[in-house]
Amino acid sequence: MTSIGRPAETSAPPAHSRTHPPSRPAWLIPGGLILLGLIPVLAGAVRVTELAGGPEITEQNARFVEFPIPVVLHIFGATLYTLLGAFQFVPSLRQGRRTWHRKAGRILFPAGLVAALTGLWMACFSALPPSDGPLLLAFRLLFGTGMALSLLLGVRAVIRGDIRAHGAWMTRAYAIGLGAGTQALILILPELLGSPPGVTLRALLMGAGWLVNLLVAEIVIRRRYRNHPHPRVADVLTRSS
């Protein structure tokens, strides 16, 4: 393929390079997202198993045992949103008249909204464990609200046919939803060193996890639309129909 203003190459590229573009780089990002998401997913599976077995109530699990329904809904919503959402970053599943992106989005929107709203519910009505504090509560309310609003704005954008805004808002929502994975990586070092952070430092480190993800999301958004400033009309018609 030649770009505008550049002469064509004297020899055509091999046929296999035109019909079968390399697939490995395209799957590196979703693969990494799935690995990162597996950290909170596995922790959630352990929590559900614990609740199903009627655990002994402690300071750490009291809030989960007291309100098991929103906890289970949050875990299942976040698990589905995290793992399935990673495939939305595969370019071949978003392009042309493929229906994967649209069908998956109809599952991901309610799953993500359930995860965000139940997270907000637990933050507001569950008793704080000793390791938490007012600052972390404020962060959870801020980023949980931000995730829910990003999802709603993303749906609003695609209804209006604004594919660029849709992709940007959904990327931000996914970045917030994946915050638990980044937070686990940040917090694991002090835990391994045997010096768990205090209440304030732990809140700051968890807030940093969300911020790091949002920073990466903004970089992805800018690079994506710098290379493709205008979505194709066919994509707009297909995805908004």
Side-chain angles (χ1 to χ4, degrees):
M1 180 182 297
T2 60
S3 59
I4 298 175
R6 291 183 59 189
E9 300 292 337
T10 56
S11 60
H16 66 82
S17 64
R18 300 195 306 267
T19 58
H20 300 286
S23 59
R24 181 176 298 178
W27 287 92
L28 284 178
I29 291 178
L33 294 175
I34 290 174
L35 289 177
L36 185 60
L38 282 177
I39 301 174
V41 165
L42 294 176
V46 172
R47 182 69 65 189
V48 170
T49 303
E50 178 188 22
L51 291 175
E56 178 182 353
I57 299 177
T58 64
E59 286 185 334
Q60 294 295 334
N61 69 5
R63 58 177 178 154
F64 303 119
V65 177
E66 184 180 7
F67 300 110
I69 293 178
V71 173
V72 172
L73 286 175
H74 179 76
I75 292 171
F76 278 101
T79 297
L80 181 59
Y81 183 73
T82 299
L83 299 183
L84 182 61
F87 292 94
Q88 297 292 67
F89 292 89
V90 180
S92 61
L93 298 180
R94 296 198 313 265
Q95 297 171 353
R97 294 187 175 274
R98 297 178 185 272
T99 59
W100 161 268
H101 184 83
R102 184 170 50 184
K103 290 181 178 179
R106 291 172 179 171
I107 299 173
L108 288 168
F109 172 69
L113 202 58
V114 165
L117 294 179
T118 52
L120 289 170
W121 194 97
M122 291 187 294
C124 291
F125 299 107
S126 298
L128 293 176
S131 58
D132 291 359
L135 181 58
L136 181 54
L137 173 61
F139 283 156
R140 283 173 172 158
L141 294 177
L142 174 64
F143 289 105
T145 302
M147 179 178 173
L149 286 176
S150 295
L151 287 166
L152 293 172
L153 289 171
V155 170
R156 179 172 176 262
V158 78
I159 290 174
R160 294 184 170 188
D162 190 346
I163 303 304
R164 176 170 182 166
H166 168 72
W169 284 116
M170 288 306 188
T171 300
R172 294 180 184 115
Y174 187 80
I176 297 174
L178 200 62
T182 306
Q183 290 162 353
L185 292 180
I186 292 175
L187 292 171
I188 194 172
L189 181 58
E191 293 289 344
L192 291 175
L193 295 176
S195 56
V199 173
T200 301
L201 180 57
R202 181 171 181 270
L204 292 173
L205 291 175
M206 292 189 70
W210 280 305
L211 289 175
V212 166
N213 281 14
L214 281 174
L215 176 61
V216 173
E218 292 302 323
I219 294 173
V220 169
I221 291 167
R222 279 163 173 73
R223 286 184 176 178
R224 178 190 301 164
Y225 295 117
R226 181 182 61 192
N227 297 330
H228 305 284
H230 301 291
R232 294 185 303 168
V233 175
D235 288 344
V236 175
L237 294 176
T238 300
R239 298 179 195 176
S240 60
S241 59

